Amino acid sequence: MADNCIFCRIIKGEIPSTKVYEDENVIAFKDINPAAPVHVLVVPKQHIDSLEALNEENIQVVAPVHKAIQEVAKITGVAEQGYRVIVNCGPGAGQTVMHLHYHVLGGVKMGEKIL
Ligand code: AMP
Ligand code: ZN
């Protein structure tokens, strides 16, 4: 847990969020500024700054996150039609919250290109 991290504070319940899914390792909540009809952030409860900070010691957070993404897709109704998962890694890629998180986007027909 990092005291000044907004996602750690959401995990602790200090800041409200619209929770979509939670288990012992992962929390998922609606993005406050959605870029698509479905826009959920899937966040490991362990504070890890970014994908670049993954290492042998903490890599085990990734598998439960991917399982949680499947659950979120089911819960939000986009599992069948498809969805996009984005991880911004570092400020140069637009990461604004330095706690590893996966954007799950869907509910709209998406183009084939990322950018
Ligand atoms: P990123 O730019 O990849 O770091 O994504 C951070 C995301 O967190 C942005 O899409 C924000 O809209 C979202 N966000 C920031 N604060 C909150 C919050 N309190 N509740 C939900 N989403 C948030
Ligand atoms: Zn954090």
Side-chain angles (χ1 to χ4, degrees), residues 52-106:
E52 272 296 297
L54 287 171
N55 57 39
E56 290 301 323
E57 239 93 277
N58 60 23
I59 192 75
Q60 82 288 342
V61 303
V62 169
V65 165
H66 281 240
K67 291 298 291 176
I69 289 170
Q70 288 183 335
E71 290 303 321
V72 166
K74 225 179 281 171
I75 290 162
T76 58
V78 297
E80 268 190 34
Q81 69 178 102
Y83 54 93
R84 180 167 290 163
V85 179
I86 294 177
V87 181
N88 296 322
C89 184
Q95 186 177 0
T96 58
V97 177
M98 293 307 289
H99 180 135
L100 177 63
H101 56 280
Y102 291 56
H103 296 256
V104 176
L105 298 154

Side-chain angles (χ1 to χ4, degrees), residues 30-31 34-40 76 78 81 104-110:
K30 289 189 181 176
D31 195 294
V38 172
H39 187 170
V40 175
T76 58
V78 297
Q81 69 178 102
V104 176
L105 298 154
V108 65
K109 177 73 185 152
M110 290 181 178

Side-chain angles (χ1 to χ4, degrees), residues 1 7 10-12 17 19-29 40-48 59-72 75 99-102 104:
M1 289 287 164
F7 288 174
I10 286 174
I11 291 160
K12 279 191 269 182
S17 68
K19 214 181 290 176
V20 175
Y21 172 83
E22 183 170 16
D23 64 33
E24 61 171 327
N25 299 304
V26 182
I27 189 169
F29 50 88
V40 175
L41 301 175
V42 180
V43 183
K45 289 184 174 177
Q46 183 177 339
H47 179 93
I48 297 167
I59 192 75
Q60 82 288 342
V61 303
V62 169
V65 165
H66 281 240
K67 291 298 291 176
I69 289 170
Q70 288 183 335
E71 290 303 321
V72 166
I75 290 162
H99 180 135
L100 177 63
H101 56 280
Y102 291 56
V104 176

